[in-house]
Each structure stands twice: as structure tokens, then as C-alpha cells.
Amino acid sequence: QVAQALESFIKGKTLSYLHNKESRSGIPIRLIVPREQRITPDMLATAFVKNTTGKTIPLSRLVKVVKGERSQPILHQDMERVVYVGGELNDSAPVYAVLAMEKALDGMAVSDNSYSEKMANNIILTTTNLGFVPVKPYTVDGYKLHWSGELRLTLDAFRDMGIALGLSLLIIYLLLVGYYQSFTVPLLVMSSVPLAMIGVFPAHCLLDITFSAASMVGVIALAGIVVRNSLLIVDFIRELRAQGIAHEQAAQEAGALRLRPILLTTLAIALGTAIMVPDPVFGGLAISLIAGSMSSALFTVFVVPLLYQSLDKETILQEVT
């Protein structure tokens, strides 16, 4: 009972929890002595416990205050002293909060009582490890803020998926080169990929959804899906050209006649992934697929025929015999 009274007196006591929509877990409602009123041994006389008869007794009669020293842990990493600072966000991804703190903390002057007054004014806080390649400081002069934790995992994930996206685009290009026997036509077909990106990022912004690793997975999948839209148009143009139809007329008819199958494909993607939009984990993937396929369908039917008309006929056209 004495230990419980001391704990409540020094650390405070949790009375209940406040639950609201903005916090992930309940916010504790604590009864505690204000910080500006430092707890001293003399204040123990104001804390009481009850004995078996129900009589209140001040804690100062039951405990003896003995002053002592307690050793504090000294943490090291890579032979340097470190202090770990962590936090958890409710409504934002860690990367946005870290970028804001990076801007405010990098280059900030730091005061240190262990240095002389002249040297203390020249101490600058520097930040590190905020790139796609992990950095390990070999020496620490003064103070350094080394970003790590969930942010480091996020950066590594985006780096690896960016490499995967580049490799997937390269494989698609090589397959198209083998299919068309040309190095120029595949570039025209793959123009639908950047057209799809026009819808991905604005959709995340408008819906206030963080561009996450799942969103990046959706972009990688989208790269293979939207290329099909260009394939439909380019192949149809080549078929019309083989029938003797003029170059400009073939491009115009291909964009108009292939609009329906492209829209049906886009509608199937949107309806199939719409159920994942509210999901906190896979919502970004669904947004990337839906918005990217819609923007690709909207722009591809206009941009690809125009690009096809603008290119040199002798360079990209191979008549089907």
C-alpha cells in the first residue's frame, strides 16, 4: 500500500482513458502533481495512506528518505555515444514529419555546457542517413542526427521497388523490340506509362492518402497493364495500314475504334480494386491502379495516335505483307 501511494504521488495515477477519432489508442487521463511543483521529501507529509482501522497516516511517518545516486545507462553505436529519440504519428506518414524536422534541425546551433563559451557558439547540429543509400558515420564531430527506424525501412523499400520498376520497364521494352522488330515503336507503345502517372499522384493528393510502398507496388503493376492500351491502338493502326488506308486516317480510326475495349479494361480494373480503397494497407495500391488506368485510358487514345502520326513513316512503319 505504501509503494502504491508513493507511485501515485511521484508518477501519478491513471484514472481513465479518452477515446477519440484522431488517436490510435486511448489517451490516458492522469492525476499527477504539476511539473512546476517539484516533488521534494517534505511533500511526503501531504500524501496519506489508510491503516486497517481507516485512519489516514502521512507517508512521512512510514518512510525514511535516503539520498543516493543512480547510474544512468550510456548507449553506444559504432563506438560513439548515442541517444535514441522515437515517436509515433497518427495522421501522417513518418517521411513527411521527418522532412519537416530535417529542414528545421539541419544546421541548427547547439549549446553544450561541456564546451567553453567560445566553442559552444560554434557547435552545429548536422543530419544524415536521409538518402536512398544507407550511411554509417565513421566519425562524429560535435552532434549528428542520424535518421533510422521505420523511415530507413521505407526509404530502402522505395529504393528496391524503384529498381524493380526500372527492370520491369526494361523487360517490357525488350519484349516489344522482339515483337515489332524495331527500337522506336516500343518507345511509342510505352508512352502510356508516363501518361498513367499523371493520374496516380494527384489522386493520392486529392483523397489525402499517403503514397506508400503499396502504392509503389500498384505503379509497378500498372506499368504492365497500361502498355496493353497502346498495343491495341498501334496494332490496329498497322492492320489498317496493311489494308492500304492512309497513315493519318488509320491513326484517327484506331483511336476511335479502340476506345471501347480500352474503357472496358479500365472499368474492370476500377471495379475489381475499388473494394480495397478504404483499406489502410492496400488502399494506396488500389488508388494507383484505378487512377493510373483511368488517366492512361483518357490520354492514350489521343496521344498515341498523334505520336504515331508525327514519327517518320520510314522509321517506324513496317508494312504487313
Side-chain angles (χ1 to χ4, degrees):
Q1 190 177 2
V2 173
Q4 293 177 355
L6 284 173
E7 182 180 9
S8 301
F9 187 71
I10 297 175
K11 293 184 177 181
K13 184 177 181 180
T14 301
L15 302 178
S16 182
Y17 290 89
L18 174 64
H19 299 275
N20 56 19
K21 297 181 180 179
E22 298 179 356
S23 60
R24 294 184 179 181
S25 57
I27 302 174
I29 301 175
R30 298 178 60 84
L31 178 64
I32 192 171
V33 178
R35 292 185 177 181
E36 58 271 13
Q37 299 178 2
R38 291 183 175 272
I39 298 175
T40 61
D42 297 335
M43 296 179 65
L44 293 178
T46 61
F48 298 87
V49 293
K50 291 184 178 181
N51 58 14
T52 55
T53 61
K55 183 179 179 181
T56 57
I57 302 174
L59 282 177
S60 57
R61 294 185 180 181
L62 302 177
V63 298
K64 180 181 180 181
V65 179
V66 178
K67 293 184 179 181
E69 295 182 357
R70 186 181 66 175
S71 59
Q72 297 291 337
I74 300 176
L75 304 178
H76 289 80
Q77 181 176 344
D78 298 330
M79 304 300 293
E80 298 287 351
R81 286 192 176 187
V82 296
V83 175
Y84 294 100
V85 180
E88 186 175 353
L89 302 176
N90 290 330
D91 300 327
S92 174
V95 63
Y96 300 116
V98 169
L99 290 176
M101 290 189 292
E102 166 80 7
K103 185 178 180 180
L105 297 177
D106 190 24
M108 183 181 68
V110 180
S111 60
D112 192 341
N113 296 330
S114 61
Y115 290 85
S116 63
E117 182 178 354
K118 183 177 180 181
M119 294 180 61
N121 296 330
N122 298 325
I123 300 176
I124 302 298
L125 176 67
T126 58
T127 60
T128 183
N129 201 34
L130 201 57
F132 287 105
V133 179
V135 176
K136 290 186 177 181
Y138 293 99
T139 59
V140 178
D141 297 328
Y143 291 90
K144 281 191 177 182
L145 176 60
H146 188 77
W147 297 108
S148 185
E150 184 178 348
L151 175 68
R152 183 69 259 163
L153 297 177
T154 302
L155 292 174
D156 293 342
F158 273 96
R159 178 199 61 202
D160 296 340
M161 285 188 289
I163 296 174
L165 176 61
L167 291 176
S168 63
L169 293 177
L170 178 61
I171 293 174
I172 292 173
Y173 175 76
L174 295 177
L175 291 175
L176 292 175
V177 168
Y179 177 70
Y180 287 110
Q181 297 297 309
S182 170
F183 292 101
T184 309
V185 176
L187 295 177
L188 174 64
V189 173
M190 296 182 66
S191 63
S192 59
V193 176
L195 294 176
M197 297 300 103
I198 296 176
V200 172
F201 298 106
H204 281 79
C205 182
L206 291 175
L207 297 176
D208 196 21
I209 295 179
T210 303
F211 189 83
S212 60
S215 303
M216 192 65 181
V217 173
V219 170
I220 297 174
L222 192 65
I225 295 174
V226 298
V227 168
R228 180 181 178 276
N229 297 338
S230 297
L231 282 173
L232 289 174
I233 296 176
V234 173
D235 285 348
F236 195 67
I237 292 176
R238 292 165 64 87
E239 291 179 5
L240 295 178
R241 290 287 293 141
Q243 298 174 10
I245 299 177
H247 179 63
E248 294 183 359
Q249 183 180 356
Q252 294 173 3
E253 291 185 4
L257 296 177
R258 290 304 179 186
L259 177 61
R260 178 177 293 181
I262 291 176
L263 291 179
L264 289 176
T265 302
T266 303
L267 183 62
I269 295 173
L271 294 178
T273 57
I275 192 174
M276 294 191 299
V277 173
D279 190 273
V281 177
F282 297 103
L285 185 148
I287 293 298
S288 296
L289 290 176
I290 295 174
S293 60
M294 286 184 175
S295 64
S296 175
L298 178 63
F299 292 107
T300 299
V301 293
F302 299 104
V303 175
V304 172
L306 291 175
L307 290 177
Y308 204 90
Q309 292 183 44
S310 64
L311 294 178
D312 186 7
K313 300 178 183 179
E314 296 181 358
T315 303
I316 67 170
L317 292 180
Q318 297 179 356
E319 299 295 342
V320 179
T321 58

